[in-house]
Amino acid sequence: MTCLCCSLRLREEEAEEPVRLRLQERQQHCHYIHIVFSPTERAMNPDITRERNNATFDVEKLTHILDGSPEKTRRRREIESMVLSDPDFQEEDPNFLSRSERYDQAVRKSAQMILKLREYGIADPEEIYCYKNCVHPDRPEPLDLHLGMFLPTLLNQATPEQMDRFFMPAWNLEIIGTYAQTEMGHGTHLRGLETTATYDPATQEFVLNSPTVSSIKWWPGGLGKTSNHAIVLAQLFTQGNGHGLHAFIVPIRDMDTHVPLPGIVVGDIGPKFGFSEVDNGFLKLENVRIPRENMLMKYAKVEPDGTYLKPPSAKLTYGTMVFIRSMIVGESARALSKSCTIAIRYSSVRHQSEIRPGDPEPQILDFQTQQYKLFPLLAMAYAFTFVGQYMNQTYQRISGDINEGDYSELPELHALSAGLKAFTTWATNSAIEVCRMSCGGHGYSRSSGLPDIYVEFTPTCTYEGENTVMMLQTARYLVKSYRQAKAGQQLSGIVSYLNEPKHQRVQPQPVAARPTVVDINDLVSLVEVYKQRAAILVELAAKSIQQELQRRKCQEDAWNNSSIDLVRASDAHCHYVVVKLFTDKLGEIGDTGIHSVLSTLALLYALDGIKKNSGDFLQAGLLNVPQVLLVSVRVKELLSQLRPNAVALVDAFDVHDKKLNSVLGRYDGNVYENLFEWARRSPLNATEVHESFHKYLKPLRAKL
Amino acid sequence: MTCLCCSLRLREEEAEEPVRLRLQERQQHCHYIHIVFSPTERAMNPDITRERNNATFDVEKLTHILDGSPEKTRRRREIESMVLSDPDFQEEDPNFLSRSERYDQAVRKSAQMILKLREYGIADPEEIYCYKNCVHPDRPEPLDLHLGMFLPTLLNQATPEQMDRFFMPAWNLEIIGTYAQTEMGHGTHLRGLETTATYDPATQEFVLNSPTVSSIKWWPGGLGKTSNHAIVLAQLFTQGNGHGLHAFIVPIRDMDTHVPLPGIVVGDIGPKFGFSEVDNGFLKLENVRIPRENMLMKYAKVEPDGTYLKPPSAKLTYGTMVFIRSMIVGESARALSKSCTIAIRYSSVRHQSEIRPGDPEPQILDFQTQQYKLFPLLAMAYAFTFVGQYMNQTYQRISGDINEGDYSELPELHALSAGLKAFTTWATNSAIEVCRMSCGGHGYSRSSGLPDIYVEFTPTCTYEGENTVMMLQTARYLVKSYRQAKAGQQLSGIVSYLNEPKHQRVQPQPVAARPTVVDINDLVSLVEVYKQRAAILVELAAKSIQQELQRRKCQEDAWNNSSIDLVRASDAHCHYVVVKLFTDKLGEIGDTGIHSVLSTLALLYALDGIKKNSGDFLQAGLLNVPQVLLVSVRVKELLSQLRPNAVALVDAFDVHDKKLNSVLGRYDGNVYENLFEWARRSPLNATEVHESFHKYLKPLRAKL
């Protein structure tokens, strides 16, 4: 059953409560559609229908695999329908609003969201996340940090007494909080933060200060206008000694009037590349006094006389970072899936240029260059989805252990999540732009949805750990593991390949001198070469450090002078992990049709990676020249092989039109009529004659 | 002499008329500065001063080389001062305005610009371009197409009678025109355009129509709200026959009231990724009648009875495309220069993280990874600047020949400009984002200037010929030349290397089997390997076509099935040309200090290109594995070598602070104070409490 106004595919049960769809009143159900289509326009574009008919696998079943299970697909769609059919979440197209109006609309919807989540009793974090991502279609929103950082930090770091004082008011939005960590001059490197909290035993208060311009808190979401409290990370000083970073609950605005409190200079940091719905803010603290009891003291403590008590373990905050970075891997997959959906659907209905003279203009998707732009990215979207699933499952498994005090697997997961966060976000960041530019001129129109996907996604390369720093963290783990292996220690887990004796003697050497037994059509064989490449590049980086040390550089300079090689080693390690996890996933797929198409994607992902990094594989003697030439030929064959399934493969991501929010990526393929309708709603078209004509252009004539 | 309010370096003569600077009233001169600095804040950041003191060459002399001559530098600065000190061009920061306000401000400034250009008698196209780029700092503006396409098209294609009717009114802005070529469904492939102009001999009129939705004219700048006329490209039909595309002058709005004329549906196409100052528009023509005399008839003609007379030559419009694409190469260089200026200056004053524990936080620029992100791009900025100069000079030289009817060099320049347009814009597009992301979180703030540079630049990858199509056009020329060479014909010009007999037998083969005589420290030797790589990849592409033909594919399918290889061949050809032109340029540099630093840059550009494409060089047997390893080592050495000159090298681009419009890239390095001041002016800070608190957040409490 397909909804006639928005092409949403529905099943019977979705038409029931709590979805509250009344299908007998179809025109009312799509509150977001401002244009009512005539019956002919509502028909599917025949090109896209033909594409769907050509698919060789069951799209619905693949969607279940991507969601995790048929039940998860059902529940996700249920939640999506709840939000997308709810008139309270109807919105103006943000593209047509000013920044202040966008913020205003976002606050309205966030307030509604809080009410509805409680009304419907949605409490599972994954379901809340899904609901939120429909209310604010993959856009960050002003309460993100209240819900995602302020409340969880209370739960994790507040004492029972503090929970009593702060949690319920925060739960009921009397306290709206944010998490103020980064400063104008300090981001990823936490030890550099300058904000101070000095304990005054006379009054039993902490005195908070921003001692320099660069110490002004900068970037926290919701800080500018929304929050009345902030958890402030500051350097603790008591009894004349510094004790490093600790967290303090600081009231910043009057809870009734919302006016900033004395000593608080707070505001919005100004327009950004994206994030227009969020009031990322600044906070300057000028001798702000808070009671001793406002330091989060579940672990570290300051006693009334100023005595400092250390926390029992430093690893406690470790887990959150790992969790968030793992989540970002999944966000990469989603952003890439959406971008591929738009670019591939549009390429299937867009006719342009010519292949054979005299023939009608072909679908863009028939051009080999277009396939070569998009299909490797489609393969990457699938790869990253499965990596995201793996990271999530691993985190869930390990966090059980952590709760029982077993931290043994955490360092590996920490290293993996850091590197994969960087690897997937960098790749996705470039890929979104390739998708956008593959749409010709219309990719530049905001109606395509692609500019927004890009600007909302690109900060993932920097926040939650700057990507180069992340790659170097992973490299640190790899080099450490390599040295352990060389010292004869037996490694376990994903770095165990560094143990394998043959890699310890692998040396870059002339291609002709090495035997090559790689089967480029066999994924297991390709996983093996990716692994060997990683092992060799880790070794090269470790040797670079060694050589620098021999030149009497200190350890730190040796590290810095090898950092290009270290990043490259991390990159190769992550690439190996992705190829491996994609290959592993295929083992779980029972359906023949799906197994076949996913195998083609996995092979394309692996071979395209070799094609684009062929120097590494040749240099290490892992492949010879005829094999590399053959890889190029196979890549072309795989493109042709995927061509009939391309649209079905993006359909399987099952991104609802309203979440996709793209005229080019519409499920029905009716691009041009809708592009015209969208443009006519542009605010510049509110009047036929813009006032600037009368103000400037007409008077100009008289002066010339 | 340095201006105390804006750090503009001035010489005596610049303080004179017509610059109209009154240095005795220094505070008045900088109209754009909204913050008055106290004397201490006005001081240079000591980090950046130290960087400048460390430079080993004369920055001013390098600026002269980049401008073309000391005289050109002087005149450019004179024009910049004229505009930047003119209160009539004072503007609100566009980041703080709505789209309609941005358009309004742009129209105001464009109208002023027309007046002033005539007042000052600035008529040289290069000087007009320079003036315009200061009035609208590297932003497109609403009159761009009137000045850059409408007037020139009249000059080139109007009959004397048409010049009488249209030129002076257009010169005096009574007629404001645009150039309406692209349609909703058609861009680069001109033959696909659908708009029709059918001649009616009964009334001696053309009847213009947009027969389909996809034929609606879409994207022309200034079409939405600004223009009252358009030169419309349409398929001409007369006496029952089609004669292809021709240009027609179509009135679209009433010249007095500016209201759209009957049969005209015109408007703005809505918000875009950038280009917020421009009203890119749509135009739907519904039986619009224009007199026969409105067809531009300098070459092709339709006689009163409907008889069609062909134009004498089809090559006449060829030149303009070549010119615009050559210009875009220069724009790549400028966008990249600005991005590098911002990222490198900020990296020199930004301290972060640690190299050695206990030491103060180092300048970001001391991290090898940061150098590796930025210095190859700096080298690229210089490379593209010199390529831009070459293209400009070559165009000037050839256009003299063209005017005398000699088109012999045009095909080569056409092929070269197409490929280099694609090569330089793609590379720059990615590079701007690398620069932005190298600035940490603040790169995402609009105050950095980098988001704007990106969104204003990225359309160059698509407009004036979509990049992949451009690469394939160049490839067509290369394959044709290759076949001619193989058939024994002697080639001349830049493709003459396809003649060289040894390349005709080069075959990909095992590295060990080939002698390697390349000196990786010698640019001439590197030019040679780039040339050989290009020759081999052209041959590979040509052979791919041959193989496809042998499989009984038709010529067109064979071409399409080889297009990945063809793009790769074009890319290698362009890469060779860039390395060659950079190397050639060094021969013109007499100053030792400058020659030395530019040689380092050229070597870095060439070696980094090898490092990033090492597979090609290994595969072709042009370099062996030890050489490739050595290239990586040399790249690191070159980074260290460039480190002391990095800031001076971006200073030499001499981009005025007001044109750079970046808090991070300020000449004085005083980033953080100014970031804070900028943020405080954010519109969201106009009130302490945003109305959304009272509308949504406070009422929410009562409901929870």
Side-chain angles (χ1 to χ4, degrees), chain A residues 95-96 99-100 103-104 108 111 115 118 172-174 184-187 189 191 218-219 225 253 255-256 258 260 265 267-273 352-357 361 366-369 372-373 429 433 436-437 441-442 444 446 451 454 458-459 462 466 468 544 556-557 560-565 614-615 618-619 628-629 636 672 675-676 678-680 682 684-685 687-690 692-693 695-696 698 700-701 703-704, chain B residues 95-96 99-100 103-104 108 111 115 172-174 184-187 189 191 218-219 225 253 255-256 258 260 265 267-273 352-357 361 366-369 372-373 429 433 436-437 440-442 444 446 451 454 458-459 462 466 468 544 556-557 560-565 614-615 618-619 628-629 636 672 675-676 678-680 682 684-685 687-690 692-693 695-696 698 700-701 703-704:
Chain A
N95 289 306
F96 299 147
R99 166 106 202 279
S100 179
Y103 171 69
D104 191 275
R108 174 176 69 72
L115 279 176
R118 301 201 183 161
N172 290 329
L173 278 293
E174 287 163 56
M184 200 193 269
H186 304 278
H189 180 63
R191 271 171 303 190
W218 206 264
W219 279 108
K225 310 307 280 186
R253 289 176 180 269
M255 287 179 59
D256 190 47
H258 213 60
V265 184
D268 175 75
I269 62 162
K272 296 142 295 187
F273 205 32
Q352 192 85 162
S353 203
E354 57 186 20
I355 293 176
R356 294 186 213 97
E361 294 186 290
D366 286 334
F367 288 95
Q368 190 184 59
T369 46
Y372 188 52
K373 281 177 195 171
N429 197 67
E433 286 298 87
R436 184 177 63 72
M437 292 195 280
H442 299 325
Y444 297 86
R446 291 199 169 259
Y454 185 64
T458 183
T462 304
E466 195 278 328
T468 303
S544 165
E556 292 78 16
D557 286 339
N560 186 33
N561 287 347
S562 307
S563 54
I564 296 174
D565 309 286
S614 61
L618 286 169
Q619 193 179 319
V628 168
L629 287 169
K636 288 195 209 175
Y672 294 126
L675 186 56
F676 190 43
W678 183 87
R680 299 194 80 159
S682 167
L684 273 194
N685 295 328
T687 55
E688 276 287 11
V689 179
H690 194 268
S692 59
F693 172 74
K695 278 155 69 182
Y696 314 119
K698 207 171 174 189
L700 177 64
R701 294 176 186 170
K703 298 179 197 158
L704 290 171
Chain B
N95 289 306
F96 299 146
R99 167 108 202 279
S100 179
Y103 170 69
D104 190 276
R108 174 177 67 74
L115 278 176
N172 290 329
L173 278 292
E174 287 163 57
M184 199 194 269
H186 304 279
H189 181 62
R191 272 169 304 189
W218 207 265
W219 279 110
K225 309 307 281 186
R253 290 176 179 268
M255 286 178 61
D256 189 46
H258 212 61
V265 184
D268 175 75
I269 63 163
K272 296 143 294 184
F273 205 31
Q352 192 85 162
S353 204
E354 56 187 22
I355 292 176
R356 294 185 213 98
E361 294 186 289
D366 285 334
F367 287 95
Q368 190 183 58
T369 47
Y372 188 51
K373 282 177 195 170
N429 197 66
E433 285 299 86
R436 185 177 62 72
M437 292 196 279
H442 300 325
Y444 297 86
R446 291 200 170 259
Y454 185 64
T458 182
T462 304
E466 195 278 328
T468 303
S544 166
E556 293 78 16
D557 287 338
N560 186 31
N561 288 346
S562 307
S563 53
I564 296 175
D565 309 286
S614 61
L618 286 169
Q619 194 180 318
V628 168
L629 287 169
K636 288 195 210 176
Y672 293 126
L675 186 55
F676 190 44
W678 183 86
R680 299 195 80 159
S682 167
L684 273 194
N685 295 328
T687 55
E688 276 287 13
V689 179
H690 194 266
S692 59
F693 173 74
K695 278 156 70 183
Y696 314 119
K698 207 171 175 191
L700 178 63
R701 295 176 185 170
K703 297 180 198 158
L704 290 172

Side-chain angles (χ1 to χ4, degrees), chain B residues 392-685:
Chain B
N392 197 283
Q393 286 154 7
T394 308
Y395 179 78
Q396 300 303 341
R397 180 172 57 76
I398 293 186
S399 60
D401 300 341
I402 294 173
N403 286 341
E404 288 164 22
D406 174 5
Y407 296 104
S408 59
E409 285 194 75
L410 197 54
E412 177 180 320
L413 187 61
H414 178 255
L416 193 61
S417 66
L420 285 176
K421 181 262 187 191
F423 184 83
T424 59
T425 56
W426 264 336
T428 301
N429 197 66
S430 305
I432 296 168
E433 285 299 86
V434 171
C435 288
R436 185 177 62 72
M437 292 196 279
S438 80
C439 293
H442 300 325
Y444 297 86
S445 168
R446 291 200 170 259
S447 67
S448 73
L450 288 160
D452 280 334
I453 293 175
Y454 185 64
V455 297
E456 304 300 1
F457 181 80
T458 182
T460 59
C461 296
T462 304
Y463 66 42
E464 303 300 338
E466 195 278 328
N467 274 359
T468 303
V469 177
M470 292 300 95
M471 281 296 196
L472 290 170
Q473 282 191 6
T474 298
R476 201 172 285 277
Y477 183 75
L478 293 172
V479 169
K480 192 176 146 199
S481 302
Y482 168 82
R483 287 181 183 153
Q484 288 171 341
K486 247 195 137 180
Q489 212 172 311
Q490 192 61 36
L491 302 176
S492 64
I494 203 120
V495 290
S496 58
Y497 65 84
L498 295 169
N499 262 326
E500 294 172 29
K502 66 171 172 171
H503 302 126
Q504 295 196 26
R505 45 182 175 74
V506 159
Q507 288 286 354
Q509 53 184 286
V511 175
R514 291 176 54 81
T516 40
V517 289
V518 180
D519 175 357
I520 66 156
N521 291 307
D522 174 38
L523 273 165
V524 175
S525 185
L526 294 174
V527 171
E528 189 61 28
V529 290
Y530 270 97
K531 178 161 88 178
Q532 293 188 28
R533 169 187 176 229
I536 288 165
L537 291 178
V538 171
E539 179 159 61
L540 263 183
K543 286 198 170 153
S544 166
I545 296 172
Q546 212 49 47
Q547 281 160 8
E548 292 286 333
L549 286 172
Q550 280 158 8
R551 284 183 214 143
R552 298 199 202 137
K553 295 267 166 56
C554 68
Q555 184 68 43
E556 293 78 16
D557 287 338
W559 178 267
N560 186 31
N561 288 346
S562 307
S563 53
I564 296 175
D565 309 286
L566 288 160
V567 170
R568 191 173 161 211
S570 275
D571 180 81
H573 173 73
C574 293
H575 210 153
Y576 152 64
V577 171
V578 174
V579 173
K580 180 180 182 311
L581 292 176
F582 200 166
T583 305
D584 290 352
K585 183 75 191 181
L586 293 175
E588 299 172 18
I589 314 282
D591 183 283
T592 327
I594 292 175
H595 190 277
S596 165
V597 71
L598 288 185
S599 299
T600 309
L601 281 173
L603 201 55
L604 178 61
Y605 182 77
L607 292 180
D608 185 56
I610 290 176
K611 185 170 155 73
K612 284 175 182 149
N613 297 281
S614 61
D616 283 359
F617 294 91
L618 286 169
Q619 194 180 318
L622 297 168
L623 294 175
N624 59 30
V625 170
Q627 284 174 321
V628 168
L629 287 169
L630 205 57
V631 164
S632 287
V633 174
R634 278 299 283 148
V635 164
K636 288 195 210 176
E637 289 168 1
L638 294 171
L639 297 179
S640 305
Q641 217 170 310
L642 283 169
R643 170 69 187 81
N645 279 319
V647 168
L649 281 166
V650 298
D651 283 351
F653 294 132
D654 196 29
V655 186
H656 191 286
D657 267 0
K658 286 179 188 168
K659 280 195 72 179
L660 202 56
N661 202 16
S662 166
V663 172
L664 304 187
R666 294 171 62 90
Y667 185 81
D668 67 10
N670 294 322
V671 168
Y672 293 126
E673 311 83 308
N674 288 287
L675 186 55
F676 190 44
E677 290 306 323
W678 183 86
R680 299 195 80 159
R681 288 161 43 216
S682 167
L684 273 194
N685 295 328

Side-chain angles (χ1 to χ4, degrees), chain A residues 520 526 530 603-611 631 634-635 638:
Chain A
I520 66 155
L526 294 174
Y530 270 97
L603 203 54
L604 178 61
Y605 182 77
L607 292 181
D608 185 57
I610 290 175
K611 185 170 154 72
V631 165
R634 278 298 285 148
V635 164
L638 294 171

Side-chain angles (χ1 to χ4, degrees), chain A residues 180-239:
Chain A
Q181 178 175 297
T182 51
E183 297 173 357
M184 200 193 269
H186 304 278
T188 299
H189 180 63
L190 295 185
R191 271 171 303 190
L193 293 174
E194 296 176 80
T195 303
T196 56
T198 308
Y199 185 63
D200 177 0
T203 58
Q204 301 202 9
E205 288 172 321
F206 290 102
V207 187
L208 282 98
N209 269 299
S210 309
T212 59
V213 175
S214 59
S215 76
I216 298 171
K217 292 291 176 187
W218 206 264
W219 279 108
L223 171 61
K225 310 307 280 186
T226 312
S227 303
N228 55 24
H229 281 68
I231 289 175
V232 171
L233 276 281
Q235 303 288 352
L236 167 62
F237 290 91
T238 176
Q239 297 177 334

